[in-house]
Amino acid sequence: MNKPTDLQHDLERSLPAIASISSSLSQSQGFSPYFLSPEKRKVISDVRRTFCLFVTFDLLFISLLWIIELNTKDGIQKNLKDEVVKYKFKSSFFDIFLLALFRFVVLLLGYAVVRLRHWWVIAVTTLVSSAFLIVKVILSELLTKGAFGYLLPIVSFVIAWLETWFLDFKVLTQEAEEERWYLAAQAAASRPLLYPQALSEGQFYSPPESFAGSDNESDEEGTGRKALTAQEKEYVRQGKEAMEVVDQILAQEENWKFEKNNASVVWYFDFGDVVYTFEIPFHGKTFILKAFLQCSPELVYQEVILQPEKMILWNRTVAACQILQRIEDNTIVSYDVAAGAAGGVVSPRDFVNVRRIERRRDRYVSSGISTTHSLKPPLSKYVRGENGPGGFIVLKCPSNPRVCTFIWILNTDLKVKPVPGSWHSSPGGSGVPGPCSWIPAATGVVPYQTLPWRGSGGG
C-alpha cells in the first residue's frame, strides 16, 4: 500500500514525549500490541478473515443449491452425467458452479494468500461473473427448468456484488485506517533519538496547582527561570484569556441550551453524553459536550490533557499532533492536523493552538484558542482552521475518586461553506461532537470507538 510521504513526515515529527507514551501504551488495555510490534501484527486482519469466510460461503451455498437441483426427478447420478459429461451451455448448471469455484480460488489467492490491498482482483471476478451470468440467462433454456432456473443465476449474481461491496467499503477502508494508526504508533514508539527533550519513563509533565481568580501570577510564573520574550508573553496572555472565557462559560451553565442527548452502551456499562450550545460574543455558537466517565479524573488528566500528542493513537480523525513550543509550566503551543472527511469532500484541516493547563482542587482544565507560530505557517496542502475559546474540563467527584465528569467546549471554524438548516449554519460552529467514547478509549477503560467529527478540539 502506498504511504503518503507528507502524512508520514508529520507523524514522525509528532509526540515528543516518547518514553512516557511507550510506557503507558504497554500498560493500557485500550491499545493492542498488534499495532506496536511488527512481528506481533496479525497475519490477516479480522475484517479480511470475515471476507474470506464470506467467499467460502459463496462456493458452499452455490454448491448446495446445485446439489439440490441435481437430486430432483431422475436422480443425482443421471443429472450429474447430463450436466457434466454431456455439458450443454443452454441447459446445464455446472458452469454456474464453476463460476463460484473461479471466484473462490481467485479471491482467496489474491486476498488471503498474497494479501493484496487493491480492488482490481475482485473487479475482475465480478466483471467475469456478471457478464457470464447475463449471457447465460439470455441464451440458455434455464428459465424453463422451474425455480432453480431463476434461483441459481440470481443468487450467484447477488453474492458476487456483495463480495465487491464488502471488500471495497469494509476491508480496504478499515485496513487503511489501521495502517495509518500503526504508522502513528511506530512514529511514537520507535524514534526516541529524534527528541532529546523527551520525558523520562513513567513521568508526566504536570503544571503546578492553580487557583481560579488568583492575581499573584507573574509573567515568568516562578523564580529561577529565564525571562519570557515578547512573543512568549503574548502566548501566555492568549492562554489566560482563553481560560477566562472557559471559566465564564462554566459559570453560566444554567444558560446553556440543550441540543441533544447521545445515549450509548459501551462494553459493560451504559453512559450517555449531552450536547449543549452557548453563544459567545465575537465567536458565535459554541458546542458543549458533557459526559460522565467511569474512570478516575487523574487518569483522564494524564492521558488526555497532559499528553495531547497521544491524540493520534486513540482518535483516528487526527492525522498528526505536535507540540511546537513549551512556553512555561502552564502554556504550550501545539499543531494539529485533522484528516479529511466525507470521502474527500472536506479536505484535511490544520490548526495552531495555544493551550493553557491548570490543576485546581476540584478540577483539571485545559483551555485553548487559535494562534500563529513561525514554525507552522499556512500550507497549501491543508486548509487552516480556527479555534475559538474552548477546551477540556475534568471535574472531580467528591464522593467517588474513581469517576469524573468530562466537559468539552468546542468552538471551531473549519472554513467550510455553511449549509442552511445544518449545524454549520452558525458562525464559529463546526458541528456537534459525537459520543464521548474516545475518552474511555484513551484511558484504557473500553475498546476504541471513532469520533464522528473532524475538528482538532482546541483544548
Side-chain angles (χ1 to χ4, degrees):
M1 185 183 72
N2 294 329
K3 304 177 179 66
T5 56
D6 291 337
L7 176 58
Q8 188 172 10
H9 177 69
D10 286 338
L11 293 177
E12 290 176 355
R13 297 188 61 187
S14 300
L15 310 173
I18 299 299
S20 174
I21 290 172
S22 300
S23 175
S24 59
L25 280 175
S26 63
Q27 300 173 4
S28 174
Q29 298 175 5
F31 299 108
S32 169
Y34 154 62
F35 294 104
L36 300 180
S37 178
E39 63 274 10
K40 293 182 180 180
R41 296 187 75 186
K42 295 179 181 178
V43 176
I44 186 170
S45 66
D46 293 339
V47 67
R48 185 178 289 253
R49 184 172 63 251
T50 302
F51 170 77
C52 294
L53 289 175
F54 186 70
V55 172
T56 305
F57 167 79
D58 175 14
L59 175 63
L60 295 178
F61 188 54
I62 296 297
S63 301
L64 178 63
L65 292 178
W66 184 47
I67 292 173
I68 294 175
E69 186 273 334
L70 290 174
N71 201 25
T72 57
K73 293 184 180 180
D74 299 331
I76 189 171
Q77 292 183 348
K78 184 178 184 302
N79 288 330
L80 187 62
K81 181 178 180 181
D82 291 340
E83 293 196 13
V84 178
V85 180
K86 300 178 181 179
Y87 168 77
K88 292 182 180 179
F89 177 77
K90 292 185 177 183
S91 59
S92 177
F93 289 101
F94 179 55
D95 46 14
I96 296 181
F97 164 76
L98 291 180
L99 190 63
L101 182 62
F102 162 75
R103 290 196 299 270
F104 174 80
V105 173
V106 174
L107 292 178
L108 288 190
L109 180 64
Y111 296 113
V113 178
V114 183
R115 296 194 293 278
L116 296 175
R117 295 192 175 186
H118 199 276
W119 48 261
W120 70 266
V121 175
I122 200 166
V124 171
T125 60
T126 304
L127 178 62
V128 171
S129 298
S130 301
F132 180 86
L133 291 171
I134 291 174
V135 174
K136 179 83 172 177
V137 170
I138 293 174
L139 300 181
S140 70
E141 302 172 353
L142 295 180
L143 301 183
T144 62
K145 291 194 171 187
F148 282 99
Y150 298 89
L151 187 60
L152 273 171
I154 292 175
V155 169
S156 182
F157 185 87
V158 170
I159 290 181
W161 280 97
L162 284 177
E163 290 169 346
T164 303
W165 172 85
F166 190 82
L167 180 81
D168 195 25
F169 288 92
K170 296 294 183 180
V171 179
L172 299 182
T173 302
Q174 183 170 323
E175 288 187 344
E177 290 183 356
E178 290 178 351
E179 182 68 17
R180 187 186 68 81
W181 197 97
Y182 172 72
L183 290 176
Q186 288 298 99
S190 63
R191 292 176 170 83
L193 295 180
L194 293 178
Y195 306 99
Q197 297 180 349
L199 299 179
S200 61
E201 183 172 353
Q203 290 183 334
F204 294 96
Y205 163 81
S206 182
E209 186 168 7
S210 304
F211 301 94
S214 61
D215 297 324
N216 57 353
E217 295 176 287
S218 64
D219 289 337
E220 284 80 37
E221 296 197 1
T223 58
R225 302 175 187 174
K226 68 175 183 178
L228 300 179
T229 65
Q231 181 61 63
E232 290 173 339
K233 290 180 180 179
E234 176 63 17
Y235 288 138
V236 173
R237 184 193 65 80
Q238 292 174 355
K240 289 181 178 180
E241 288 186 355
M243 184 66 69
E244 290 175 359
V245 175
V246 168
D247 287 335
Q248 292 173 8
I249 294 174
L250 294 175
Q252 301 183 57
E253 183 172 358
E254 66 276 6
N255 297 324
W256 296 356
K257 179 182 177 182
F258 173 82
E259 293 289 348
K260 62 185 295 188
N261 182 26
N262 297 318
S264 305
V265 179
V266 179
W267 201 6
Y268 55 85
F269 63 88
D270 297 342
F271 76 96
D273 49 86
V274 184
V275 177
Y276 304 89
T277 56
F278 185 75
E279 290 288 339
I280 301 180
F282 308 108
H283 294 284
K285 180 180 289 187
T286 296
F287 294 98
I288 305 169
L289 183 144
K290 187 175 183 180
F292 175 77
L293 301 181
Q294 293 195 8
C295 59
S296 68
E298 288 74 18
L299 185 58
V300 180
Y301 173 61
Q302 289 180 353
E303 295 293 325
V304 177
I305 292 181
L306 291 187
Q307 303 180 84
E309 317 97 318
K310 287 178 61 176
M311 191 183 303
I312 61 174
L313 300 180
W314 44 260
N315 184 357
R316 298 186 184 183
T317 65
V318 177
C321 184
Q322 175 188 0
I323 291 183
L324 299 179
Q325 184 178 358
R326 293 189 182 274
I327 308 300
E328 36 81 66
D329 285 343
N330 296 81
T331 308
I332 61 174
V333 179
S334 67
Y335 175 73
D336 311 300
V337 178
V345 176
V346 179
S347 59
R349 263 67 175 162
D350 66 344
F351 302 81
V352 177
N353 302 312
V354 57
R355 303 173 187 250
R356 181 172 179 83
I357 301 172
E358 291 187 2
R359 292 188 303 130
R360 302 176 185 174
R361 289 192 179 96
D362 62 338
R363 68 190 62 183
Y364 301 109
V365 185
S366 171
S367 65
I369 193 171
S370 283
T371 188
T372 58
H373 199 281
S374 58
L375 294 180
K376 286 295 179 181
L379 303 175
S380 59
K381 62 181 179 179
Y382 299 128
V383 176
R384 178 58 55 90
E386 292 185 8
N387 284 318
F392 303 144
I393 301 93
V394 183
L395 301 178
K396 302 177 183 179
C397 178
S399 60
N400 189 348
R402 292 187 295 273
V403 299
C404 64
T405 300
F406 180 81
I407 300 176
W408 181 2
I409 300 175
L410 174 66
N411 185 295
T412 301
D413 184 0
L414 296 180
K415 302 300 181 181
V416 296
K417 293 183 179 180
V419 179
S422 72
W423 291 104
H424 298 272
S425 58
S426 300
S430 66
V432 178
C436 200
S437 57
W438 57 276
I439 291 294
T443 57
V445 176
V446 296
Y448 169 84
Q449 292 191 14
T450 307
L451 261 178
W453 74 291
R454 300 283 174 170
S456 71

